[in-house]
């Protein structure tokens, strides 16, 4: 899960995590929760809101511009200086762009929001897929290096990332139940 490195005189653990998903509007919520859990476990609490918002925008772009049901993956990584968020999808033609959205437009602001929040962002086009990414500067990880509880939490999060949440219908009442089940399963 981690690999030690020395950056600016501090020992830092490189961390990474990734998960496959199917582009559906409801997946955005699950991915945001996973981002929160991982960044908190890595001691990057101050990056949670920004990273979650960028993940929402990048994944929503796949749903909107590539299509519902498209296979994708989300990857997070940090080296102690930068947090990198990557969203992979198979369509090399639908490239994210910055547009000037009209004030009353219902969409078109996603990548402008990512560009405003991230220190830098870009798209890498490969033969069979593209990677839309953004990066944020972070302070050295607050999580203690080599701490057994952090290592166990990382391993547990990887296990839960492979599991699908229990099926619950999503209305007002079961929505609360579903959220509680998800939280308890992680805890």
């Amino acid at each position: 899960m981690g690999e030690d490195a020395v950056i600016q005189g501090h020992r830092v653990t490189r961390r990474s995590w990734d998960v496959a998903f199917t582009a559906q509007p409801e997946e955005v919520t699950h991915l945001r929760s996973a981002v929160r859990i991982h960044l908190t476990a890595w001691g990057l609490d101050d990056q949670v809101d920004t990273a979650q918002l960028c993940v929402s925008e990048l994944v929503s772009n796949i749903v909107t511009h590539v299509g519902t049901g498209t296979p994708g993956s989300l990857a997070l990584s940090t080296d102690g200086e930068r947090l990198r968020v990557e969203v992979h999808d198979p369509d090399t033609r639908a490239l994210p762009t910055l547009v000037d959205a009209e004030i009353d437009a219902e969409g078109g602001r996603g990548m402008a929001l990512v560009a405003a929040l991230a220190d830098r962002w870009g798209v890498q086009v490969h033969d069979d897929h593209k990677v839309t990414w953004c990066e944020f500067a972070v302070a050295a990880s607050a999580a203690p290096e080599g701490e057994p509880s952090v290592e166990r939490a990382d391993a547990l999060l990887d296990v839960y990332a492979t599991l699908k949440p229990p099926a619950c219908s999503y209305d007002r009442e079961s929505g609360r139940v579903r959220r509680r089940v998800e939280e308890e399963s992680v805890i």
Side-chain angles (χ1 to χ4, degrees), residues 90-110:
D91 192 335
T92 59
R93 297 164 297 147
L95 300 177
T97 57
L98 291 173
V99 295
D100 265 340
E102 296 294 321
I103 193 141
D104 59 346
E106 291 184 24
R109 295 178 186 84

Side-chain angles (χ1 to χ4, degrees), residues 21-34:
F21 64 88
T22 301
Q24 302 284 348
E26 56 273 9
E27 278 296 303
V28 174
T29 301
H30 299 297
L31 294 171
R32 286 176 57 91
S33 294

Side-chain angles (χ1 to χ4, degrees), residues 14 39-40 48 51 72 84 94 98 100 103 128 141 165 171 176 185:
R14 294 182 189 276
L39 295 185
T40 300
V48 170
R84 185 174 176 100
L98 291 173
D100 265 340
I103 193 141
D128 61 346
S141 176
D171 59 22
R176 282 185 237 134
S185 67

Side-chain angles (χ1 to χ4, degrees), residues 2 4 11-13 15 143-152 154:
D4 287 340
R11 181 174 288 280
V12 189
T13 301
R15 299 185 189 282
E145 292 97 36
E147 176 70 32
S149 61
V150 173
E151 299 292 327
R152 286 192 306 273
D154 280 343

Side-chain angles (χ1 to χ4, degrees), residues 104-118:
D104 59 346
E106 291 184 24
R109 295 178 186 84
M111 290 313 298
L113 187 57
V114 171
L117 294 171

